[in-house]
Amino acid sequence: MLSPTIVDLIHSTFLPNWPYLESLKLKPSQLLEASYDMILSNPGDVAIGINRVQVVIDHDFFNAFNCLVIKHFTSGQTTLMFNAQINRAEPVIDIYNQLKDILGNGWTFEPKFSTFSEEEKINSLANGQFKQANDEILQVWNIGQFSVLLNYKLDPLSQLLLSISHQSKKEPDRHVRANGTLLNLLKFSPEQVITMPEVKHEVKEENGAVKYVDYTFQLEESEMNLFDRVRLRIFDAEKKLDLSVQMHISYFSEFEMSASQVISLVNIVVGIYGADNSGMKEMEPHEVDQVEADEMWSGRSWTFNRAHKIYDHDEPDQSILYQASITGNPDQDGIILNILAYNQMLDFQEVLNEV
């Protein structure tokens, strides 16, 4: 019987119910169950929602790893973690090349981490040598609901981790969102914002005519104790509030936000809108890590139809009312709260106020 390969395991992610044990040719009896007390003894695992841990030790995986830890989460996520202390560069390079052949180059995270294309870094770590913290090597690949991570570590030094995670699909909440709009959270009305001092004024032209104008304002006090700037995009040459004219608005800050502030922001908006387009609510631990590492973060996004339900792309008779989102881009405005079709949200809020 041929030993299972990484290709076998990756191919199994395309099969129903992810039969990872079958693809690894493992029997349930080979898995050791961690006791509940053992799980509780690791508060980090408990904090991120792990409720079951299984282990396979002294078993050869892919001619490289001798240990497998399977972590099950209350959210439905399952993560396979293959570990080994590897003091030769060749097995590490071989594992990386197998993943690259199947999945491509994946995501890299320079300058915080080195990449597996830097073979001199792999050789140094295999020999137990490194010069600085970013000599640690890490790359990530995404396959639909699966993510694959390969990490050659500094702590423990020369440990190779191959992690494959499956996040179960979350169904969007199609209920009417009856807690109003983001305007309930904001202290400054649109009429007040548009009269504040301008920081920047940018005109976008198309075919010789004004397409839109971006007005950036300095807020007199921060909104939600987070945002001190606001950018209003008006699709008209005139600086005025007109609900018949398309407008977008973006709240951001001149200063960097802490992860705890971003967590609070997400929780506040979720308190009004509930789960987003993907069924997500509070931030996941890996998202907090992204914000703390000052990386790109896809955040949360709510797109509403005119019934103030999450827009359903399978329903052709719907039209979009407005979209709200929280995202992170360290190369631009950092953490930003966006409202597209702001004029339609204002109009909708006025209707709510009359009810």
Side-chain angles (χ1 to χ4, degrees):
M1 184 181 296
L2 295 176
S3 297
T5 66
I6 289 179
V7 174
D8 296 327
L9 183 57
I10 297 299
H11 284 173
S12 74
T13 63
F14 295 96
L15 299 175
N17 301 318
W18 191 26
Y20 54 86
L21 290 182
E22 291 88 337
S23 70
L24 294 169
K25 294 185 169 62
L26 288 174
K27 298 177 181 178
S29 59
Q30 293 175 271
L31 276 62
L32 304 175
E33 291 278 348
S35 69
Y36 187 62
D37 287 340
M38 290 174 68
I39 295 173
L40 290 179
S41 69
N42 190 336
D45 279 0
V46 174
I48 60 176
I50 292 171
N51 61 2
R52 185 185 184 194
V53 176
Q54 299 168 299
V55 181
V56 181
I57 56 176
D58 297 327
H59 187 97
D60 176 55
F61 296 100
F62 319 130
N63 297 317
F65 303 99
N66 56 14
C67 176
L68 167 63
V69 178
I70 306 173
K71 295 188 175 183
H72 303 269
F73 294 71
T74 54
S75 64
Q77 176 180 325
T78 302
T79 299
L80 310 187
M81 303 174 68
F82 300 90
N83 293 277
Q85 186 77 19
I86 299 182
N87 300 109
R88 294 189 303 116
E90 292 78 9
V92 178
I93 294 170
D94 179 59
I95 292 292
Y96 167 66
N97 284 334
Q98 289 184 61
L99 291 171
K100 182 180 177 182
D101 288 345
I102 307 166
L103 303 174
N105 292 320
W107 294 91
T108 58
F109 301 93
E110 300 105 321
K112 184 176 181 180
F113 293 98
S114 299
T115 72
F116 283 93
S117 61
E118 301 174 82
E119 292 193 5
E120 73 281 1
K121 296 285 182 72
I122 297 175
N123 278 291
S124 294
L125 292 189
N127 291 319
Q129 300 172 351
F130 67 94
K131 296 180 180 178
Q132 50 202 12
N134 64 2
D135 285 342
E136 184 163 340
I137 307 172
L138 184 143
Q139 286 183 230
V140 173
W141 295 261
N142 292 315
I143 332 165
Q145 294 170 241
F146 290 83
S147 62
V148 179
L149 176 146
L150 189 65
N151 182 196
Y152 204 22
K153 296 185 172 185
L154 301 186
D155 184 19
L157 185 58
S158 306
Q159 184 184 87
L160 185 67
L161 167 67
L162 170 63
S163 172
I164 301 181
S165 294
H166 172 246
Q167 179 65 58
S168 57
K169 186 176 181 181
K170 297 183 178 181
E171 292 297 324
D173 181 350
R174 301 293 184 193
H175 292 94
V176 172
R177 307 307 160 90
N179 293 329
T181 72
L182 285 174
L183 291 173
N184 296 342
L185 299 176
L186 303 173
K187 67 179 70 168
F188 294 112
S189 69
E191 291 79 11
Q192 290 173 307
V193 168
I194 205 167
T195 62
M196 290 182 183
E198 280 188 34
V199 175
K200 191 183 291 186
H201 177 113
E202 295 178 289
V203 179
K204 170 69 173 179
E205 293 188 349
E206 190 173 89
N207 299 323
V210 173
K211 182 178 182 182
Y212 60 78
V213 183
D214 279 344
Y215 304 94
T216 302
F217 304 98
Q218 178 74 48
L219 293 173
E220 295 170 358
E221 296 178 52
S222 62
E223 283 286 13
M224 302 164 67
N225 296 318
L226 294 174
F227 303 109
D228 61 4
R229 301 266 174 116
V230 60
R231 183 168 50 248
L232 179 62
R233 175 170 293 181
I234 300 178
F235 286 77
D236 192 273
E238 190 175 349
K239 183 183 176 182
K240 64 177 181 179
L241 294 173
D242 183 342
L243 299 189
S244 66
V245 173
Q246 185 180 3
M247 290 184 285
H248 305 328
I249 197 167
S250 303
Y251 291 87
F252 57 102
S253 177
E254 183 182 4
F255 305 101
E256 186 175 330
M257 289 187 202
S258 68
S260 61
Q261 288 175 311
V262 180
I263 291 170
S264 176
L265 171 64
V266 171
N267 289 344
I268 289 170
V269 178
V270 165
I272 289 184
Y273 287 148
D276 77 348
N277 296 343
S278 302
M280 301 292 288
K281 290 186 176 181
E282 294 79 8
M283 291 177 68
E284 301 280 348
H286 72 276
E287 295 181 290
V288 177
D289 291 342
Q290 286 177 308
V291 172
E292 288 181 335
D294 206 25
E295 297 170 357
M296 292 282 292
W297 174 54
S298 58
R300 299 288 179 272
S301 184
W302 296 263
T303 305
F304 294 109
N305 63 19
R306 294 189 175 275
H308 216 222
K309 299 179 181 180
I310 292 295
Y311 183 83
D312 187 347
H313 292 274
D314 296 325
E315 291 290 338
D317 296 333
Q318 293 180 102
S319 59
I320 293 175
L321 181 62
Y322 69 93
Q323 181 185 75
S325 64
I326 307 168
T327 57
N329 185 343
D331 296 328
Q332 294 183 10
D333 296 316
I335 301 298
I336 187 166
L337 174 64
N338 270 314
I339 303 169
L340 304 183
Y342 179 55
N343 54 303
Q344 296 189 164
M345 188 184 79
L346 295 175
D347 190 35
F348 179 74
Q349 184 66 48
E350 285 190 4
V351 173
L352 291 180
N353 292 340
E354 294 171 359
V355 174

